[in-house]
Amino acid sequence: MPMATAVLLRLAPLPPHPSPRAPSSPRPALLLPLGRQRSRAAGAIRAAGDGLADQTTVYTGVYGPWSVDDADVREMLLYRAGLVTAAASFLVASSGAFLPAGNPAGDAVRQGADLLYAAGAAGLGLSLVLIHIYVTPIKRFLQALWALGVLGSVGTYALAAQPLDEGLVRYVLEHPGAMWFVGPTFAALTGLVFKEVSMCEMYLTTNVLTGLCYGKLEAGILTFVIPILLLGHLSGLMDDGAKLGLLGVWMALFTVFAARKFQQPIKDDISDKSVFMFNALPEEEKKALLQKLEAPTEQKLE
């Protein structure tokens, strides 16, 4: 999330809930320099996205006010585009399971399954790069799962599927144990979906950080459907009928999940931008800002 070199964080007491407000008269503020927080590439993205955002609406975050800028809009649109790519690729590839042999469309889908899998994995990877998660180690963990799954997929294809003159997808379907190698990619997808379930707006009440979550039903169901289906295939405990049923549910919910992303305000995918701004600060400036934010509460107690 690109940002300006210097960001003005106001130190007036925060309201209990984050809410948009129109710009008002200046209040006491602290200039928090963020120097060298973004690369030249991020600057180029920001320049390319000029004019996409309405920066007149200011939101009150945990650590100060923030607004949506053009670079934020571009990042979130790319994030959503990655999700749509993953969902569309999965939907088309999975449709081959419901089309009979000899059907021209079904045969074409099955022949191109590996390319569709690669496109979906690439879209997921893009979204995992741009996803906004407050806890950075969780984001890195999801990215590591994705990378592990991609490496496992390449290795499985090169060392196991190709010598048998089979595609990766066909090989995994016929050899459930291969899920150990490609599974981390789907684990990363499950983590991304779960993030949408637990997506929260954060606010400060009496000096205590709290969250208001507004998860989605389809994302919550997908969080269970994905691992149940994959584990059922891996263990061999699930028959083909049950697997097809869960696959159909996955297809429908993933389509709804991706489509609904474009009905959300951009700010919802950004979450509380002030948290990310705060995390980008040097430790000394973090301490200074926290002291300023705590001062009004301490004065009230006195």
Side-chain angles (χ1 to χ4, degrees):
M1 176 185 48
M3 60 187 72
T5 304
V7 179
L8 197 63
L9 292 182
R10 303 176 191 178
L11 299 179
L14 301 176
H17 297 276
S19 57
R21 56 184 174 81
S24 57
S25 57
R27 297 182 182 179
L30 174 66
L31 189 64
L32 297 178
L34 298 181
R36 296 191 300 275
Q37 295 299 328
R38 297 297 181 205
S39 63
R40 293 181 180 179
I45 291 176
R46 182 170 58 249
D50 285 349
L52 293 177
D54 175 12
Q55 300 183 38
T56 60
T57 301
V58 179
Y59 303 95
T60 301
V62 174
Y63 300 106
W66 60 275
S67 61
V68 177
D69 60 29
D70 296 323
D72 295 328
V73 175
R74 288 189 62 85
E75 280 194 4
M76 292 304 98
L77 289 180
L78 285 173
Y79 167 74
R80 295 175 180 186
L83 281 180
V84 169
T85 300
S89 301
F90 174 79
L91 183 65
V92 175
S94 299
S95 67
F98 297 91
L99 297 173
N103 180 287
D107 291 342
V109 167
R110 286 184 283 270
Q111 289 174 4
D114 285 2
L115 291 178
L116 290 168
Y117 174 77
L124 175 62
L126 174 63
S127 294
L128 289 173
V129 169
L130 299 174
I131 192 171
H132 282 204
I133 298 178
Y134 293 125
V135 184
T136 301
I138 295 179
K139 177 177 179 177
R140 297 290 178 257
F141 178 67
L142 293 179
Q143 292 171 342
L145 283 176
W146 176 86
L148 187 62
V150 169
L151 290 175
S153 299
V154 172
T156 301
Y157 174 75
L159 300 177
Q162 192 175 41
L164 297 177
D165 196 26
E166 289 188 353
L168 173 65
V169 174
R170 171 55 55 186
Y171 182 85
V172 173
L173 290 175
E174 294 177 350
H175 301 82
M179 281 302 307
W180 287 110
F181 304 102
V182 303
T185 302
F186 295 97
L189 172 61
T190 305
L192 183 149
V193 170
F194 179 74
K195 175 261 182 186
E196 296 291 333
V197 180
S198 59
M199 185 167 56
C200 299
E201 288 185 352
M202 302 177 70
Y203 53 92
L204 199 65
T205 306
T206 62
N207 212 31
V208 177
L209 192 61
T210 315
L212 174 65
C213 298
Y214 42 100
K216 303 174 181 176
L217 178 61
E218 69 274 10
I221 299 174
L222 275 174
T223 302
F224 295 98
V225 169
I226 296 173
I228 289 173
L229 175 56
L230 298 182
L231 289 173
H233 179 63
L234 174 63
S235 65
L237 298 177
M238 190 176 291
D239 60 37
D240 290 343
K243 286 192 280 189
L244 280 177
L246 284 177
L247 181 62
V249 172
W250 184 350
M251 293 168 66
L253 293 178
F254 203 6
T255 301
V256 173
F257 172 76
R260 285 189 64 193
K261 292 302 297 178
F262 290 91
Q263 297 178 348
Q264 281 184 246
I266 290 291
K267 74 173 185 65
D268 287 355
D269 275 334
I270 296 173
S271 302
D272 186 346
K273 186 176 176 180
S274 74
V275 174
F276 302 104
M277 294 161 62
F278 174 81
N279 290 338
L281 293 172
E283 288 301 320
E284 291 183 0
E285 294 185 16
K286 286 182 181 179
K287 292 178 182 179
L289 178 57
L290 289 174
Q291 289 176 355
K292 292 287 186 179
L293 291 172
E294 291 170 355
T297 302
E298 292 176 353
Q299 289 175 1
K300 279 185 178 181
L301 292 175
E302 292 175 0

